[in-house]
Amino acid sequence: MTIENTAASEGLGRKILARTAWPVLLILCICTTAYGFAIDRPVIVFNLTYLALAVALYLLERNMPFEKTWLENDGQTFANIAHTLTSKGLVQGLVTFSGVIGITAYITPMQGEGYGIWPRDWPLAIQVIMTLVAAEFGLYWAHRISHEWKPLWKFHAIHHSVTRLWIVNTGRFHFIDSLLSIVLGISIPLALGAPLEAITWLSAITAYIGMLTHCNVDMRFGLLSMVFNTPGLHRWHHSKKIVEGNRNYGENLMVWDMIFGTWINPDRRPPARIGITEEMPTSFPAQLVWPFKEIKELDQEGWTTLINEENTKPKV
């Protein structure tokens, strides 16, 4: 085989991989999670699957990055990991502790037969899809309010302060920000009577799509971006321009962005220079207390929305 043929073959292989990597990886994650449920080991299998997804995306980021400049060290790897552990660990611990002191007294009746309007006799796959759509409504508004109301933006700005997107800053959220999203996200399907198994599936799929959304891998999405929150859409969400950054709020699905007119997918390359306009401390402890200091200093105008003219739709 000639050098030209080898290069052409590699180019074709890369194009195929770019178009198939996102859906194939998500489908594989869903299949292994289903296997975990089937053998009654969902937590163990989920953790192994999540780790395998991280490794696969890390290798893809190194070999076919979307933005090569995002491969450069930004000095925030420790802070990214620390925020991930703090937000996930502390929030999960709080939820567990809350269950011990009585929250389960409210959740348990929701799991009983006859509660709510949830069709529990429907196939689980359909119930999971319904749970995703219902939870997405709460996740959408939690995310949107965190952009448009300054006090909550100060917490959410921790996530947007990154200057590169890659798998390690997937979980870079202030724990207050995470708590708001979790509460608003799961409360709706729970109130409707969704079973805990469907809620568990929601958590797993959200984790998988979250990492896929933030990866720095050169992929093509096509019609997938009309349904799912893909990296292609989320890169616009991290733009410094408010007219671009205050769009694409969906966590997993884009249904509510479509309904409320906040979905965008311009036919051009998203900005490589991302981040926020505020000055963010570089250390993890300073970032934890930064929102509280900022809120304290907000004047009367600061308690209004972040934007005054953002409701004007961008020209795309």
Side-chain angles (χ1 to χ4, degrees), residues 189-250:
L190 276 177
L192 292 173
L196 287 179
E197 187 174 3
I199 300 297
T200 303
W201 267 104
L202 166 68
S203 301
I205 292 174
T206 300
Y208 299 142
I209 292 183
M211 185 174 291
L212 284 164
T213 297
H214 290 84
C215 72
N216 179 25
V217 181
D218 189 16
M219 299 177 180
R220 301 294 179 269
F221 309 102
L223 294 178
L224 287 172
S225 291
M226 300 287 290
V227 180
F228 298 100
N229 183 20
T230 62
L233 295 179
H234 201 64
R235 290 163 189 153
W236 289 107
H237 180 70
H238 276 263
S239 172
K240 283 186 176 182
K241 295 181 179 179
I242 290 177
V243 75
E244 295 170 348
N246 282 17
R247 297 295 187 272
N248 298 343
Y249 293 114

Side-chain angles (χ1 to χ4, degrees), residues 49-75:
T49 301
Y50 192 73
L51 177 61
L53 177 63
V55 172
L57 289 175
Y58 179 82
L59 293 175
L60 286 172
E61 286 184 338
R62 273 17 190 200
N63 288 280
M64 46 185 293
F66 177 77
E67 285 289 352
K68 291 184 179 180
T69 57
W70 290 351
L71 296 177
E72 299 172 4
N73 184 13
D74 61 355

